[in-house]
Amino acid sequence: MMWKLCKVLILIVSFGVGKVTAADKYIRRDFPPEFVFGAGTSAYQGEGAAKEDGRTPSIFDAFSHSGVTRGANGDVACDQYHKYKEDVQLMAEMGLEAYRFSISWSRLIPNGRGSINPKGLQYYNNLINELISHGIQPHVTLHHSDFPQALEDKYGGWISRRMVLDFEAYADVCFREFGDRVRHWTTFNEANVFAQMGYDYGFLPPQRCSSLPGLYNCQKGNSSTEPYLVAHNILLAHASAARLYGKKYRNKQNGYIGFNLLAFHFRPWTNKTEDIVATQRANDFYLGWFADPLMFGDYPDTMKKNAGSRLPSFNGAESSLINGSADFLAINFYSAIKVKDNPGSLDIHPRDYKGDIAVQLDFSLNNFTEFEFPVIPWALEGVLEYFKQKYGNPPMYIHESGQRMKRNSTLEDWPRVQCMQGYIGVVLDSLRNGSDVRGYFVWSFLDVFELLDGYEAGFGLYYVDLDDPSRRRYRKRSARWYSAFLRGGAVSPASASLIGLMGGPENASSSASSPDHRLIQ
Ligand SMILES: *[C@@H]1O[C@H](CO)[C@@H](O)[C@H](O)[C@H]1NC(C)=O
Ligand SMILES: *[C@@H]1O[C@H](CO)[C@@H](O)[C@H](O)[C@H]1NC(C)=O
Ligand SMILES: *[C@@H]1O[C@H](CO)[C@@H](O)[C@H](O)[C@H]1NC(C)=O
Ligand SMILES: *[C@@H]1O[C@H](CO)[C@@H](O)[C@H](O)[C@H]1NC(C)=O
Ligand SMILES: *[C@@H]1O[C@H](CO)[C@@H](O)[C@H](O)[C@H]1NC(C)=O
Ligand SMILES: *[C@@H]1O[C@H](CO)[C@@H](O)[C@H](O)[C@H]1NC(C)=O
Ligand SMILES: CC(=O)N[C@H]1CO[C@H](CO)[C@@H](O)[C@@H]1O
């Protein structure tokens, strides 16, 4: 979950009274057995041990230590680096089928390229082995916004084509060392957010943008060109890693290489043609930017038209390298946006990139401070349907879905239960309507370090006590609900039946305490 501030300032999300379409009563067995249910974290947000055992800083460390994340950072975070065994135990007790995590590039290869850090290698081997021995599938992301600061310093990171080769070399190490046990790889997490927020608005690492007096003051960058360049290099890096996998590993390892985007459900503000066209433009700029090259071999025409020569082009060889290079597309999904045409935005918006989109997004929800997101199952259904129709029904994963709540509030996180209940139900509807969706991961397994929210908001199934040096974990209601579902219980929206269900088997583990409200304000 990496896009908070962008919501506040730019994308403010809309919600309306949506029809409740989600299947409202279902069980695990309604899904195919090969469909996978999991939960996730990412390296910087969960591991901690930021300065231990040879890890060097990533761009994320520099960012969080600059004070923008409410003074918080991931130096210790949930300390999963030291507590992975306990965490895998909790996953196993919950009945989790898969765990989504990312590898810290700068822990594995501290200089970005070259020698491998044996301690880093050992950590990921240990974690993967622990998961496998508990029957939990590892779903691994290679780049979750945290590439080595050394490469940013050396040549500017993703604005340079040199990253393509360095990323490929890093991917090679991961496939070679872990690919005998890991079958689900995702090259990039939220590549669209990374390019937009890191290089256009400059809110997120590596905080590059064109400086505007009184607004955003990036030290470096060019908002009109760099987002496109970065996205282009990311696509080439993904495709190069996928080609490498195909050549060297696929026969032996039988795995899959996917790509992840943050997806919103865009819908027109009115039925006026210009709003409908603007909605398609928003989809093209937000999703098509990456999904079109991956699925069709080229950028959307709207992007070429609006961005002109600032949008790099693929030559024939690059196009065929990228075309079809993703075995699956994965989305992180949280919300919906209403789109209004805004022809004037080409003139008035400070950012050229934003001007290219020329849409005005709905500003109706100003209540971000309330923490919780509206739950809008039909919007997730709409996104899955969009991918199905536009991209010929590719295999899809929902890599993130979850509810933001004030971190210290309560272990009785019923809003999160309602969120999972609704979204899992609509995934079932989508499956039944032909969507090739293959997995659903809750964000997040633990209350991790959240970008920009720091530790003030949490999405976790488990609360982590930051005041306790041992970072003790506490199971929330949502973890119990998920567990009951994964173990075969029927779930329905009526909280009475949920409570009934919750009365079922849930042996307290040695490591996770049973809930005690007094421990949390
Ligand atoms: C960004 O790059 C473009 C193309 O090179 C150039 O015309 C423009 O002046 C640059 N903008 C800034 C703010 O440096
Ligand atoms: C657009 O038209 C459809 C079908 O007539 C209608 O259901 C929908 O409410 C309209 N949307 C808006 C935003 O007016
Ligand atoms: C991408 O691959 C598809 C399917 O093989 C093909 O139809 C399409 O023409 C390719 N795109 C380009 C730009 O070559
Ligand atoms: C179900 O799939 C069909 C065919 O793709 C589509 O027309 C329809 O809108 C889908 N239903 C929903 C609720 O998305
Ligand atoms: C959470 O609660 C603990 C224990 O009362 C307190 O020390 C800590 O500052 C709180 N954290 C936040 C982010 O509110
Ligand atoms: C709970 O513990 C009992 C007794 O140790 C055991 O028989 C049962 O299988 C456990 N239930 C679960 C869900 O682990
Ligand atoms: C800015 C804004 O819209 N604030 C609203 C947030 O929600 C509370 C309660 O629902 C309202 O009272 C505020 O006006």
Side-chain angles (χ1 to χ4, degrees):
M1 178 70 196
M2 314 273 293
W3 50 284
K4 301 316 149 30
L5 194 54
C6 79
K7 261 183 48 167
V8 182
L9 296 179
I10 308 135
L11 294 178
I12 308 299
V13 167
S14 77
F15 63 103
V17 230
K19 59 188 188 320
V20 177
T21 55
D24 60 2
K25 196 157 196 281
Y26 51 83
I27 57 172
R28 172 64 182 92
R29 276 202 314 274
D30 291 331
F31 292 81
E34 64 278 8
F35 188 97
V36 73
F37 283 97
T41 64
S42 84
Y44 186 74
Q45 294 173 278
E47 278 177 11
K51 293 167 190 156
E52 281 178 55
D53 289 349
R55 181 185 180 277
T56 62
S58 72
I59 55 164
F60 226 136
D61 297 70
F63 176 74
S64 64
H65 279 274
S66 70
V68 283
T69 45
R70 307 194 184 191
N73 60 59
D75 285 359
V76 181
C78 303
D79 201 22
Q80 188 164 76
Y81 186 75
H82 296 111
K83 294 173 75 78
Y84 70 92
K85 278 195 179 170
E86 179 185 324
D87 284 345
V88 174
Q89 186 65 37
L90 295 180
M91 293 173 209
E93 283 165 11
M94 205 196 318
L96 211 62
E97 299 163 7
Y99 180 50
R100 173 178 180 254
F101 64 95
S102 72
I103 289 175
S104 160
W105 183 349
S106 66
R107 190 186 293 289
L108 189 62
I109 309 174
N111 294 324
R113 184 75 175 263
S115 55
I116 297 172
N117 172 16
K119 290 272 179 59
L121 185 64
Q122 189 187 354
Y123 171 67
Y124 293 111
N125 270 324
N126 288 346
L127 172 60
I128 291 164
N129 290 342
E130 196 70 15
L131 290 166
I132 300 279
S133 72
H134 286 84
I136 299 167
Q137 293 176 22
H139 286 235
V140 179
T141 301
L142 296 178
H143 186 283
H144 201 114
S145 301
D146 62 345
F147 69 81
Q149 182 67 34
L151 299 181
E152 179 72 10
D153 295 343
K154 197 167 160 192
Y155 52 71
W158 285 109
I159 61 168
S160 168
R161 188 65 88 102
R162 291 172 68 179
M163 276 296 266
V164 175
L165 289 177
D166 284 348
F167 182 81
E168 189 182 351
Y170 159 57
D172 194 8
V173 171
C174 294
F175 299 152
R176 185 181 74 225
E177 299 293 338
F178 311 125
D180 57 331
R181 288 150 293 157
V182 174
R183 292 183 65 218
H184 295 86
W185 297 100
T186 300
T187 50
F188 291 88
N189 174 70
E190 293 190 4
N192 50 353
V193 173
F194 182 72
Q196 187 185 37
M197 294 298 139
Y199 297 85
D200 181 10
Y201 297 105
F203 295 154
L204 297 186
Q207 287 196 288
R208 299 179 65 104
C209 65
S210 305
S211 283
L212 289 171
L215 201 48
Y216 319 114
N217 266 315
C218 296
Q219 307 285 321
K220 304 175 186 172
N222 184 331
S223 297
S224 8
T225 52
E226 286 188 2
Y228 297 115
L229 189 58
V230 161
H232 198 73
N233 289 335
I234 282 176
L235 283 163
L236 291 169
H238 159 85
S240 303
R243 174 183 53 189
L244 177 81
Y245 189 80
K247 273 202 209 148
K248 261 174 95 171
Y249 300 103
R250 192 185 295 277
N251 279 346
K252 281 176 288 178
Q253 299 183 349
N254 297 308
Y256 309 93
I257 313 287
F259 196 90
N260 175 292
L261 295 167
L262 178 68
F264 291 99
H265 180 268
F266 291 111
R267 69 189 191 286
W269 186 277
T270 71
N271 277 334
K272 281 191 274 178
T273 308
E274 56 266 36
D275 286 346
I276 292 168
V277 171
T279 302
Q280 186 54 50
R281 201 157 58 231
N283 273 314
D284 286 344
F285 268 85
Y286 215 74
L287 302 172
W289 189 8
F290 295 88
D292 275 29
L294 293 169
M295 306 308 287
F296 306 141
D298 202 1
Y299 291 118
D301 287 338
T302 38
M303 289 193 74
K304 292 188 193 173
K305 182 165 155 270
N306 287 280
S309 63
R310 289 172 297 134
L311 184 69
S313 53
F314 299 113
N315 66 32
E318 290 165 347
S319 170
S320 41
L321 178 68
I322 290 167
N323 197 3
S325 64
D327 297 321
F328 62 85
L329 294 179
I331 55 168
N332 295 349
F333 177 85
Y334 294 93
S335 228
I337 291 175
K338 276 201 286 185
V339 175
K340 195 191 298 189
D341 182 48
N342 187 3
S345 73
L346 282 167
D347 306 321
I348 62 172
H349 279 290
R351 291 280 181 272
D352 289 359
Y353 164 63
K354 195 164 154 195
D356 291 335
I357 302 185
V359 297
Q360 183 178 317
L361 305 165
D362 174 14
F363 280 72
S364 70
L365 176 65
N366 298 315
N367 254 330
F368 194 62
T369 47
E370 284 185 350
F371 285 88
E372 285 157 33
F373 296 151
V375 177
I376 32 179
W378 55 266
L380 177 56
E381 184 175 39
V383 170
L384 289 172
E385 187 61 25
Y386 179 77
F387 275 94
K388 177 178 135 195
Q389 292 188 14
K390 169 103 187 180
Y391 298 108
N393 204 15
M396 302 278 303
Y397 284 86
I398 292 145
H399 266 169
E400 291 185 18
S401 164
Q403 182 58 284
R404 175 179 186 258
M405 292 178 71
K406 197 162 169 46
R407 193 171 194 284
N408 264 6
S409 51
T410 176
L411 293 175
E412 292 298 320
D413 56 344
W414 288 104
R416 185 166 293 113
V417 169
Q418 278 157 12
C419 171
M420 293 161 71
Q421 161 76 39
Y423 287 126
I424 294 173
V426 89
V427 169
L428 181 58
D429 289 345
S430 297
L431 257 173
R432 286 176 169 163
N433 198 34
S435 175
D436 191 5
V437 53
R438 299 187 178 191
Y440 176 92
F441 291 76
V442 174
W443 182 265
S444 47
F445 173 59
L446 303 169
D447 276 343
V448 296
F449 167 74
E450 284 290 337
L451 202 61
L452 301 169
D453 273 336
Y455 296 106
E456 288 182 25
F459 287 75
L461 298 170
Y462 283 83
Y463 172 76
V464 177
D465 185 356
L466 300 173
D467 293 328
D468 179 346
S470 76
R471 291 291 198 270
R472 189 164 166 183
R473 281 85 162 113
Y474 295 85
R475 189 188 296 149
K476 297 187 199 176
R477 178 58 62 186
S478 53
R480 293 166 187 273
W481 181 91
Y482 204 27
S483 180
F485 165 67
L486 293 171
R487 293 185 183 287
V491 294
S492 76
S495 50
S497 66
L498 283 166
I499 290 163
L501 183 73
M502 289 307 136
E506 46 172 61
N507 294 343
S509 75
S510 51
S511 43
S513 308
S514 49
D516 179 346
H517 302 231
R518 286 161 307 171
L519 291 166
I520 301 195
Q521 296 167 338

